[in-house]
Amino acid sequence: MTSKNALVITDNQTQLLAFKNLLSEVENDWLFSFAGSTQKFVESNSGMKLINVNEEYNYIINIINLPYPLVVSNFSSKTCKEVKCINVHPGLNPYNLRGWNPQVFR
């Protein structure tokens, strides 16, 4: 059986902690790894990988089965066309189009 790899990408501490808490409450057979796009955020959260979504596009589409961008403003639309992505965002879709990071609704 092949492993199912999920990559959670975020630079938002609140969303990261909430997602990790949710994972601890749910039984699943996915291998979750965590990444951030800023050095400062990654250094303040142990076990995270620094990732540039646009530069590491091939890694995401070839290794990761399910990316979870959590409030990520620079997530590549090219990636979303190649692999199913779950975009977790604190906005109330489709009503909160002018809330945090409105670009995710483009």
Side-chain angles (χ1 to χ4, degrees):
M1 180 175 164
T2 59
S3 62
K4 296 189 288 187
N5 297 307
L7 176 64
V8 178
I9 307 166
T10 188
D11 292 320
N12 183 299
Q13 187 70 30
T14 302
Q15 295 296 319
L16 175 63
L17 295 176
F19 194 85
K20 283 185 172 183
N21 187 46
L22 178 67
L23 284 179
S24 71
E25 296 174 5
V26 178
E27 189 174 319
N28 70 77
D29 58 350
W30 286 80
L31 176 62
F32 281 86
S33 55
F34 297 87
S37 64
T38 65
Q39 186 71 36
K40 183 178 178 181
F41 188 77
V42 170
E43 287 174 355
S44 65
N45 290 281
S46 65
M48 288 190 80
K49 169 187 166 113
L50 181 63
I51 192 167
N52 180 314
V53 176
N54 295 316
E55 290 178 9
E56 298 187 55
Y57 163 78
N58 285 326
Y59 164 74
I60 294 172
I61 65 166
N62 292 318
I63 305 297
I64 301 301
N65 303 105
L66 192 59
Y68 279 84
L70 301 178
V71 193
V72 176
S73 60
N74 66 346
F75 197 76
S76 169
S77 62
K78 184 168 73 170
T79 304
C80 293
K81 291 176 184 169
E82 296 292 328
V83 65
K84 181 180 182 178
C85 300
I86 307 274
N87 184 21
V88 181
H89 189 271
L92 176 60
N93 302 340
Y95 307 103
N96 189 13
L97 299 180
R98 295 193 171 270
W100 290 355
N101 297 330
Q103 68 276 6
V104 297
F105 301 107
R106 286 188 212 155

